[in-house]
Amino acid sequence: MTSPRAAGTAPRSALTRARVLESAVTLADRDGLGALTMRSLARELGIEAMSLYHHVANKEDLLDGVVDVVAAEIQDAVGRLEALPDDAPESSWKPALRRQILAARTVLLRHPWASTVLESRKSFSLHVVRYYDSLIGLMRRGGFSYDLVHHAMHALGSRALGFSQELFEPDGATAGSAGDGSAEEGAADAATALLLQMADELPHMVEMLAEVGHQDTGSTLGWCDDQTEFEFGLDLILDGLERLAEREKP
Amino acid sequence: MTSPRAAGTAPRSALTRARVLESAVTLADRDGLGALTMRSLARELGIEAMSLYHHVANKEDLLDGVVDVVAAEIQDAVGRLEALPDDAPESSWKPALRRQILAARTVLLRHPWASTVLESRKSFSLHVVRYYDSLIGLMRRGGFSYDLVHHAMHALGSRALGFSQELFEPDGATAGSAGDGSAEEGAADAATALLLQMADELPHMVEMLAEVGHQDTGSTLGWCDDQTEFEFGLDLILDGLERLAEREKP
DNA sequence: CGAGGAGGCTTACGGTGTAAGCCTTACGAC
DNA sequence: GTCGTAAGGCTTACACCGTAAGCCTCCTCG
């Protein structure tokens, strides 16, 4: 960069905290979270591991930063949605909230490792908080009391950011793997087989699997259509909130 | 043990896989998940690290086993609940399901690290599956179609086991710490202060915090009363499921 | 009694995050 | 121009992690 730099900025290097974080995100996207080590990140950037410590305090700080990058992406995606007109009816909080959350979800689907990291943070990203603030704003416009909003945010939990931890995905989420997907399928099949094997002990479970049939997935991860299930759960909560909001009215 | 052992059991050692897993649970309870390493676990048992590998295949297997122990505890706690009488009305699925889930939760509250481990498993514990089977059974008795049951299980997600990942607990969950709790409080206060500092950027968030007032917690972890919030979210889902079940009826 | 293996132990390797310290370079003040 | 300062690289080294390989000593069973 040959441009004159702002008043107290770093002098010569093209390497900045921002570039480090960006690189970390790409690396995690490509090779999975497990592959994101200080040494491998440094290699990616063409420097030595210890040099990273001039831009991030330690690995926790790196992960904080990486979360912040993803959160910024979320905020950006949400920002692209068309704003509610000022004269929108009170009831429009619900589709609006739904849209924002699903927009956030598209971002997290691009970074499958991010949910894990998000959950492990103990400090929070300002971008996330700003996103939350917009969700709260929507509910307020819907006539929610702050008390109800507060409960609502807790009830949504991580779903507000677009993910919900599925127990039992026989593979998924762990590494990039980037394979043809037959590995996941294999694991899912193996799991199902194992369940069938003890059918007498798990009557309802087995019967359910037989009936619901986990066959035609295709869309996302192995077993079920996560997107459908995510929206099902989300709508369940939104409907419930709607009823509670109605009840609050005088 | 001086008793004659059953037909193909291990010969002399008092150390068994069961004892290893038990020890691992106690260690994690006392010192946190981070303190559970092969070496520290071995020290706890008075042996060398490598000796553990005669009882568990590797660390993943150890964690699988540890999850299984906790899941067995859950199954046990659920088993202690009084069974539904045969002539219970169809509608009793709901309080029964609620009771089972809250019973599972009491177990997980005794092992705060367990939720993290549970989520990280890719194979599943038979005890967990059996527990799930009982939940499914309850819903079936409530007249749910298998399709609805399936959606319901996804919607409940980890909540079925008694935990929901709270975004933003300023401390908690990471280590035993066993301190007076003032550390958590400090972190929570610091976080709140930081939020207040940018009140102009987060109008709704700050107003909500001011109104809801996160002051009188006392019960569980730092910020909010997790138990209340957990039950709120759980009831929101159960109510929603009840309505859908009604709608399914002819 | 002798073979075999279960279950300890020791040693060693590669990988992790990171503390400590050195060397170069660019910048701002004189 | 010169020089002090410090940003930002690099090298080395340490503690700790999971675990592969191999040794030894019993106990058990044929």
Side-chain angles (χ1 to χ4, degrees):
Chain A
M1 299 305 152
T2 57
S3 62
R5 48 193 193 71
T9 328
R12 67 171 162 197
S13 156
L15 195 59
T16 64
R17 176 178 170 102
R19 257 176 46 74
V20 167
L21 297 182
E22 218 174 298
S23 227
V25 170
T26 347
L27 201 161
D29 284 343
R30 174 158 42 83
D31 301 336
L33 189 57
L36 176 56
T37 71
M38 300 303 269
R39 286 177 169 84
S40 71
L41 177 55
R43 198 178 317 124
E44 186 86 1
L45 287 161
I47 59 172
E48 293 300 311
M50 288 312 291
S51 301
L52 288 171
Y53 288 85
H54 286 155
H55 304 280
V56 297
N58 47 42
K59 184 148 191 197
E60 282 297 289
D61 184 39
L62 172 72
L63 292 177
D64 282 349
V66 155
V67 158
D68 210 47
V69 168
V70 174
E73 252 182 79
I74 289 180
Q75 228 193 323
D76 187 60
V78 168
R80 284 182 203 293
L81 300 173
E82 63 221 292
L84 276 186
D86 278 348
D87 60 343
E90 216 184 28
S91 69
S92 52
W93 69 268
K94 201 172 151 191
L97 194 63
R98 192 174 196 277
R99 275 216 323 276
Q100 288 208 5
I101 291 181
L102 290 181
R105 177 173 170 83
T106 65
V107 174
L108 284 197
L109 286 180
R110 284 205 299 272
H111 307 297
W113 44 269
S115 55
T116 306
V117 186
L118 262 164
E119 281 183 86
S120 72
R121 294 308 79 201
K122 63 180 49 173
S123 66
F124 43 58
S125 147
L126 289 187
H127 286 130
V128 170
V129 183
R130 276 197 275 261
Y131 167 68
Y132 277 170
D133 195 71
S134 78
L135 296 186
I136 296 175
L138 282 178
M139 290 190 259
R140 285 295 285 174
R141 283 191 55 172
F144 286 43
S145 73
Y146 270 125
D147 194 55
L148 182 54
V149 170
H150 178 239
H151 285 313
M153 292 302 291
H154 275 285
L156 283 170
S158 73
R159 227 180 273 263
L161 280 165
F163 69 96
S164 66
Q165 72 293 48
E166 296 285 337
L167 279 314
F168 293 179
E169 25 196 346
D171 204 2
T174 47
S177 96
D180 47 328
S182 67
E184 302 173 1
E185 256 178 59
D189 286 353
T192 315
L194 203 148
L195 287 185
L196 289 177
Q197 195 177 327
M198 22 185 295
D200 46 345
E201 222 183 336
L202 305 169
H204 309 105
M205 175 77 84
V206 168
E207 204 171 339
M208 182 181 85
L209 288 182
E211 185 150 329
V212 174
H214 274 171
Q215 65 279 14
D216 56 337
T217 69
S219 75
T220 40
L221 298 163
W223 242 1
C224 306
D225 183 339
D226 274 345
Q227 183 67 25
T228 304
E229 300 302 342
F230 181 83
E231 295 188 18
F232 178 88
L234 178 58
D235 287 333
L236 209 57
I237 292 176
L238 293 184
D239 288 347
L241 292 175
E242 187 172 39
R243 293 177 70 214
L244 291 181
E246 289 297 331
R247 200 173 304 168
E248 278 192 336
K249 289 183 183 167
Chain B
M1 299 308 154
T2 56
S3 62
R5 47 196 193 69
T9 328
R12 67 172 160 192
S13 157
L15 195 60
T16 63
R17 177 179 169 101
R19 257 176 48 74
V20 166
L21 298 181
E22 216 174 299
S23 227
V25 170
T26 346
L27 202 161
D29 283 343
R30 173 156 43 81
D31 301 337
L33 188 56
L36 177 56
T37 72
M38 299 304 269
R39 286 178 169 84
S40 71
L41 176 57
R43 198 178 318 125
E44 185 86 2
L45 287 160
I47 58 171
E48 293 302 310
M50 287 313 290
S51 301
L52 287 171
Y53 287 84
H54 286 200
H55 304 280
V56 297
N58 47 41
K59 182 148 190 196
E60 283 297 290
D61 184 39
L62 172 71
L63 293 178
D64 283 351
V66 156
V67 158
D68 210 48
V69 168
V70 174
E73 253 183 76
I74 289 181
Q75 227 192 323
D76 185 61
V78 168
R80 282 180 205 292
L81 300 173
E82 63 221 294
L84 275 186
D86 277 349
D87 60 342
E90 215 183 29
S91 68
S92 53
W93 69 269
K94 202 171 150 194
L97 194 64
R98 193 175 195 277
R99 274 216 324 273
Q100 288 208 5
I101 292 181
L102 291 182
R105 178 171 169 83
T106 65
V107 174
L108 284 197
L109 286 180
R110 283 205 298 272
H111 309 296
W113 45 268
S115 55
T116 307
V117 186
L118 262 163
E119 280 183 86
S120 73
R121 296 307 81 201
K122 62 180 48 171
S123 67
F124 44 58
S125 148
L126 289 188
H127 286 119
V128 170
V129 183
R130 277 196 276 259
Y131 168 67
Y132 276 173
D133 195 71
S134 79
L135 296 187
I136 296 175
L138 281 179
M139 288 190 262
R140 285 295 285 175
R141 283 190 56 171
F144 285 43
S145 74
Y146 270 124
D147 194 55
L148 182 53
V149 170
H150 178 238
H151 285 313
M153 292 302 290
H154 275 285
L156 283 170
S158 72
R159 225 179 275 264
L161 281 165
F163 70 96
S164 65
Q165 74 290 49
E166 295 285 335
L167 279 315
F168 292 3
E169 26 196 342
D171 203 3
T174 46
S177 95
D180 46 329
S182 66
E184 302 173 1
E185 255 179 60
D189 285 354
T192 315
L194 202 148
L195 287 185
L196 288 178
Q197 195 178 328
M198 22 186 294
D200 48 344
E201 222 185 333
L202 306 169
H204 308 105
M205 175 76 83
V206 168
E207 205 171 340
M208 181 181 85
L209 289 183
E211 186 150 330
V212 174
H214 275 172
Q215 64 278 14
D216 56 337
T217 68
S219 77
T220 40
L221 298 162
W223 242 2
C224 306
D225 183 339
D226 274 345
Q227 182 67 24
T228 304
E229 300 303 341
F230 181 84
E231 294 188 18
F232 178 88
L234 178 58
D235 287 333
L236 208 58
I237 293 177
L238 293 183
D239 288 347
L241 291 176
E242 187 173 39
R243 293 178 70 212
L244 292 180
E246 289 297 330
R247 201 175 301 166
E248 278 192 338
K249 290 184 181 164

